[in-house]
Amino acid sequence: MMETLNLENNIQYLKGVGPTKAALLNNLGIYTIKDLIEYYPRAYEDRTKLKKINEFIDGEYALFIADVARDAKLQRIRKNLAIINTIVTDETGNCKMTWFNQKYIKERLKEGNRYLFYGKVIFEYGRPCIESATIYDVSQIDKIQGIYPIYSLTAGITQNYLFKLMSNAYENKPLVQDIFNDEFRKVHNLCEINYAMQNVHFPKTFKAVEIARRRLIFEELFLFQLALMVIKNSGLGIEKENKYENVDITPFLELLPFSLTNAQLRVIEEIRKDLTSNKLMNRLVQGDVGCGKTMVAAVAIYMAVKNGYQAALMAPTTILANQHYEELSNYFSKLGIKTEIITSSTTKKNKERIVELLKKKEIDVIIGTHSLIEDNIEFSNLGLVITDEQHRFGVKQRMKLTNKGNQVDTLVMTATPIPRTLAIMLYGDLDLSIIDEMPPGRTPVKTYAITDNLEARLNNFLKKHIDEGRQVYVVCPLVEENEELDLKSVESLYEKYKNEFFKSYKVEFLHGKMKNKEKDEIMQRFKNNETNILISTTVIEVGISVSNATVMVIENADRFGLAALHQLRGRVGRGAYESFCILKSNNKSLKARERLKIMEKSNNGFDIAEKDLELRGPGDFFGIRQSGLPEFKLANLLKDINVLKDAQSVAKEIINTDPNLTTKENSVLKRTLIEKFGEQINNITT
Ligand code: ADP
Ligand code: MG
């Protein structure tokens, strides 16, 4: 009997890999055999039909057998460009074939040789042509004809190579343990896991693809829902040992230079109710940029501290953590509440001091970044955890902080406008509060979409505002996933602004690759109005508050999602001055103009998110990183909403009968959750 492949084996030892390729595969998140076979195709090519040349359709791919009609010719066009040309023929017609720089191909393309070809047909002057077709020996037809999976790639890894690796892995029959038993699968109409895995990579029919995908998507969404419910459950039904005394918040409110909005007060009451009840709080506060979520957090912290607890506020960036620290410690210090901050730029010595003080409960409130979840940070009695801009953190990170206390109330805050139905589905573990009102005196940001031919006028407009004492942000788009290029585009934009348009002004730039300390200094200078124009990537996207900045210019605005544009726009209009957002874009397509028009017309993040969804479709909308939704391997939260609903109701059933997954029947599920979401699930369920 052949031994089955150990799924945990390093990918390096699979036939056809080795150290060099392994490093490249790592870039795709593939480290083990299991990672490989769980690397699912993003699409499929239909190569089921073998075509004749006279059946070719312009723009479509074709798989066909043909003879080389004459020896291929090699032409050297430039130093780096060689073209190989030939004609191939079958009994129905001829097709022109071209390849670039693949000189070795020439030897194979001798008159009379017969091959199996696959490529995209383009008609030129009514005649079919194919560039860079793949060439196979005719004998390979059984392997090639069929449905062909398409994988997402990285440099140095081709489709054919990945396909080959999958085949190599499957030669050894990798066996995955099914987390669902026969009966469960039958009831919920799911195929067996190994059938699903095999057919997602090597399907014989599109029906098989559908069956396989449904099973895998169901599993992903089901486990996700189950994890959320277990987490939520952990706070349910458990009597809090010490519920909160009611706290009079007037001493805090009296320090503020403004009164809170009705929406803020309403949400504070919802929080008060949670805290004084005998169950743990698990609440999401959703509210558009600038609605004043920080003050709501501050009041919650005040209530916790007055009840003798320590509180932690976690923000996604150092800049934001600093900003919270400055604002809150200012108020808290006047009330005898001790506040400190820990970020990656905190010195080692300072950190050691804070760690000691936290343990001794000589600090009441700690504000910080991810640094707060490090293992050496311990509390004396942590009672409240708040995560700001929740969408930047995963469930795991939030739980890690929560687990530093015994019974911790949690509040999470976000400005991401996720349509409500979806929010409830996704944050199923949370109660929802919405701040749907802006502080008074805010004039909506006036938004204009313009093209580059108005650049000179725009620059005069900016100068006018700066001369009146105001400040300007210029944001340039993130070049996808490529920090090197990001940097370049910020720097070249900076050069343009600094050396061409605004010679006598103070211009600075900021990007994600800078050291935190440098970023903070640049931000600080901008806050102090020592800089007139700040050019930046979207690192300024979240939360920064400089009320003297009144104009936001967004370059290549069409490259952003509307939700992101709205977030960015929220950086201005934060003070008494009239504010402007200028969307620059030379994209003349109707769709692009239409999207930017939405920004001109609406100032409501939720409306904008929904319209964007309509225009772009769910793929793009949820494709953006800013959406902060969990990354699924196959599931698409909007397209697969029906599977999501199924998965949710099945998860609910299980949790209702076995809330902590303690029965033998559910032990596999529990183990899987722990593997996927970490030890915290274990802590909760035992
Ligand atoms: P976000 O909800 O986007 O996090 P912030 O909490 O940063 O918004 O608040 C934005 C600005 O509005 C801050 O400068 C804050 O001090 C101010 N602010 C908050 N609440 C009020 C209010 N009720 N009236 C006036 N200004 C307020
Ligand atoms: Mg905020």
Side-chain angles (χ1 to χ4, degrees), residues 502-565:
F502 294 92
K503 281 204 178 108
S504 55
Y505 293 83
K506 293 228 178 61
V507 186
E508 289 212 74
F509 69 94
L510 185 72
H511 56 73
K513 260 205 158 171
M514 286 172 167
K515 292 236 157 54
N516 280 329
K517 188 158 166 277
E518 199 179 355
K519 276 194 253 180
D520 294 346
E521 285 165 7
I522 292 166
M523 252 346 274
Q524 203 54 52
R525 284 197 289 275
F526 191 68
K527 270 193 147 171
N528 298 345
N529 199 1
E530 290 163 32
T531 317
N532 305 124
I533 301 178
L534 181 64
I535 297 179
S536 142
T537 53
T538 50
V539 289
I540 61 144
E541 170 204 29
V542 169
I544 290 168
S545 204
V546 179
S547 56
N548 191 51
T550 56
V551 188
M552 159 79 51
V553 178
I554 302 177
E555 302 272 342
N556 296 94
D558 56 290
R559 298 234 216 123
F560 291 93
L562 294 192
L565 287 179

Side-chain angles (χ1 to χ4, degrees), residues 444-460:
V445 178
K446 286 204 172 123
T447 303
Y448 302 97
I450 66 164
T451 48
D452 276 356
N453 56 13
L454 289 179
E455 197 160 65
R457 268 180 71 186
L458 171 63
N459 291 338
N460 284 332

Side-chain angles (χ1 to χ4, degrees), residues 207-243:
K207 183 76 194 160
V209 174
E210 198 186 310
I211 291 170
R213 280 177 53 92
R214 186 187 130 77
R215 150 75 205 221
L216 297 169
I217 290 169
F218 181 96
E219 182 171 324
E220 266 191 324
L221 295 173
F222 170 78
L223 289 174
F224 173 62
Q225 289 293 319
L226 203 60
L228 289 182
M229 285 174 197
V230 167
I231 295 162
K232 175 163 189 175
N233 239 0
S234 69
L236 280 183
I238 302 176
E239 288 271 312
K240 249 203 288 196
E241 284 155 22
N242 306 300
K243 54 180 184 174

